Amino acid sequence: MFSEKVKQILALLETSSADIARISDCDKSHISRMVSGARKPKVNGAAAWRLVSGIYLAADEKGRTDKLREIIRCESDCSADEIKTHLMKWLYDGEEADAAKPLSPVNKTPYRAFGEKLGAAMELTGLSNIRMGKLLNIDPSYISRFRSGLRSPKANPKMMSDICVTLTECATSHGKLSALARLTGAEIGVNTDRESVSEAVYEWLYSDEITDDTPLVQGLIDQIGSFSADIIKPPLTFEEAADEDIISEDISTYYGLAGLQRAVIRFLGNVFRRGEKELYLYSDQNMNWMVSDPVFRVKWASLMTLCVTNGTKISIIHNINRDLSEMAAAIKSWLPLYPSGMIKSYYCKLRAGERFSTTLFLCPGYACISGSNGAGTENEKGMYRFDTDSSQLTAYKNTYDELLNHSGELARTYLTDYIEGTDGYDDLPLSVISYTLSLATMPEDTLLSILDRSGKDIAEITRITELHKKLSCLAGHHALDGSLHEFAPLPADEELFGGRVIADIPGCSLSYTPKEYADHIRNIISFLENYTNYRFFIVPEAPFEEISIIVSERSVAVTRRKAPYVTILFEHPDLCRAFSAYTERIGEQYKQDKLTVRHRLEQYL
């Protein structure tokens, strides 16, 4: 009878033993033996609860929880645990079943995740988030995000080391150095001096973490989040950055690293002075010419900023051929200029050669710096032409255009609505990570209620409501035909009733009233009930402050919700995969069944 009931419920739920095995994290053969009748696990045993949990989660995943309740004759207001308990009784023909209980992963290593380990070490040494933040000279919210698994310090190697040293010092001052060593799993009798324990803590905290691109993703988002309203401000004045003797030169050839630097100052200085409107940049040579001399680097940054603020549009083809970190470095070096909206960033799909390096800095109305040198000889023996003849400039532009034909956009900047960057998602899975509930799921009446006290003029209100319609349509489309996953924290009562929960409205910093928030929550619950492919992930806190991220397999849109308002759209496949992996990791950590999520959301109604 047991195996027949298992077969019956799998058929009615349109799921398979393979699905149950995947969801319940157990061997497929174990489930197959239960289905075939070769094995009947003991009622209330670990194997039975694993099967019951797998069936329940399969029903939840396929949007058939109501069907499951109907089969086992469970009341509609039952919780997830109550449904599992009913299911256990139904499978075993009424045999007494204990209340459902959470199952621990098989052979789980204690404190396996970095956040769990850090939390255990901080509890042992008596460190709070606030105290740890002060000792590390960082905001306590970062420590909280580390412990919750939303962030990783791997983007900052110095911080990784400082965390270990701080834990070791605090353990020493509390007489718990040996206890900290034991927590890391160090063998009895090994050295327990500070240096040895600090090394053991480092190995314990970081060695078991899965190698991924999370630090790269977090580093990019952090830099976008760190833009300030006056970001387009040159470190030096024009006179300080561009020596008059250099920009007035009239020579056609420069040699070596120093020569290229001098040519670049002459080039950019005159682009700014002449008010030129276009620059086309490409170089696949070693970046030492730009970064090795900090004095030149500041002059270069100042002149680039001056050109951009003077109305010069810049197209740059990045040389990206090795790994994702190289791509991130290329993006981050130019990010401070992105809020200007004057940067177009590309990556060339053709692989660079290893015999020669090429540099091409072109201003079509003025001049071009060009060089083709043996790889490795650029600094000492490199030769760079400085051409101003119009026919030569035309030839250089043709060369650049040919490269551009083999390039894809690396990063695109939007200074208006990020909806412009979401075209072409089709039916791809879509994930939205935000610090608050998204505008896409906000009811129209709620939006109008919030805007009514915004002080915005009619034109701006119309723009925002039109954006809302587009986003709502996009959300509904994906929830119906693709998949839509949202990640957001839920506020504490003191935040909500204190008017500190910000709504996701572009260009505004307006808070929900408790009623408005309840109406938005009610609409999210409606999404959960009506769309099988919609999931809402409740995270303990926002991974990033006032930043919203839309992730698909084809593009990633990172949007600032504070001045300067800007969206950076990334479309490189490797970068999209890195962001997708990041969202999947958070999803695995905080996924809950829809019924449990709904019950948590209903607390705000």
Side-chain angles (χ1 to χ4, degrees), residues 173 315 583:
S173 64
S315 295
T583 58

Side-chain angles (χ1 to χ4, degrees), residues 236-490:
L236 304 176
T237 65
F238 176 74
E239 290 74 20
E240 292 171 327
D243 188 287
E244 185 64 34
D245 290 342
I246 295 178
I247 63 176
S248 60
E249 285 178 345
D250 186 22
I251 57 178
S252 60
T253 307
Y254 292 85
Y255 296 94
L257 180 147
L260 177 57
Q261 292 175 341
R262 192 175 183 93
V264 167
I265 289 177
R266 172 188 170 188
F267 178 74
L268 292 178
N270 282 294
V271 167
F272 171 74
R273 177 174 283 179
R274 294 162 57 95
E276 297 290 347
K277 298 304 179 185
E278 293 179 304
L279 277 183
Y280 298 89
L281 310 178
Y282 171 81
S283 179
D284 56 31
Q285 79 173 63
N286 189 290
M287 296 297 289
N288 282 342
W289 70 271
M290 183 192 294
V291 300
S292 61
D293 182 354
V295 174
F296 171 78
R297 172 75 174 182
V298 172
K299 291 181 178 180
W300 174 87
S302 299
L303 290 172
M304 290 298 302
T305 302
L306 286 166
C307 288
V308 163
T309 55
N310 200 36
T312 304
K313 293 183 178 180
I314 299 174
S315 295
I316 176 169
I317 302 176
H318 291 288
N319 171 37
I320 299 169
N321 290 300
R322 288 184 280 278
D323 56 32
L324 206 55
S325 62
E326 184 180 81
M327 182 191 316
I331 295 170
K332 290 173 75 173
S333 65
W334 288 85
L335 271 179
L337 294 176
Y338 277 36
S340 69
M342 306 297 283
I343 306 295
K344 286 191 174 181
S345 181
Y346 302 88
Y347 64 96
C348 189
K349 299 175 183 178
L350 301 175
R351 293 199 64 82
E354 297 180 355
R355 298 177 182 178
F356 292 91
S357 68
T358 300
T359 290
L360 186 64
F361 300 155
L362 171 65
C363 176
Y366 163 53
C368 181
I369 300 173
S370 64
S372 181
N373 298 289
T377 68
E378 304 93 339
N379 290 355
E380 300 295 332
K381 301 178 182 179
M383 183 177 74
Y384 302 90
R385 292 185 56 84
F386 199 107
D387 294 306
T388 57
D389 181 80
S390 60
S391 61
Q392 292 173 317
L393 299 185
T394 299
Y396 286 129
K397 183 61 165 60
N398 291 337
T399 298
Y400 193 93
D401 287 344
E402 184 61 26
L403 276 177
L404 207 55
N405 288 336
H406 296 281
S407 300
E409 283 204 71
L410 180 59
R412 196 183 311 164
T413 305
Y414 293 91
L415 301 181
T416 54
D417 302 329
Y418 63 91
I419 187 65
E420 297 175 32
T422 58
D423 294 334
Y425 278 134
D426 301 325
D427 298 331
L428 295 174
L430 204 64
S431 296
V432 180
I433 302 177
S434 186
Y435 61 97
T436 190
L437 307 181
S438 74
L439 180 62
T441 56
M442 183 184 292
E444 183 179 6
D445 289 345
T446 302
L447 173 63
L448 294 175
S449 175
I450 297 173
L451 289 176
D452 189 50
R453 59 178 183 276
S454 69
K456 299 286 185 181
D457 58 32
I458 296 298
E460 181 66 5
I461 289 176
T462 301
R463 185 188 71 81
I464 293 172
T465 54
E466 287 299 317
L467 170 64
H468 172 256
K469 289 177 182 177
K470 292 179 182 178
L471 286 173
S472 297
C473 182
L474 180 72
H477 170 73
H478 279 274
L480 182 64
D481 297 323
S483 76
L484 176 61
H485 292 175
E486 285 198 82
F487 301 77
L490 297 177

Side-chain angles (χ1 to χ4, degrees), residues 90-123:
W90 183 84
L91 286 173
Y92 284 86
D93 245 356
E95 290 183 43
E96 191 60 32
D98 296 332
K101 49 190 175 183
L103 296 172
S104 299
V106 177
N107 297 324
K108 181 180 178 182
T109 302
Y111 309 124
R112 180 182 56 186
F114 165 75
E116 293 175 327
K117 293 177 182 177
L118 178 61
M122 288 176 61
E123 289 175 12

Side-chain angles (χ1 to χ4, degrees), residues 20-32:
I20 303 301
R22 170 181 57 81
I23 293 170
S24 58
D25 193 26
C26 67
D27 194 286
K28 180 182 175 181
S29 63
H30 292 171
I31 303 298
S32 297

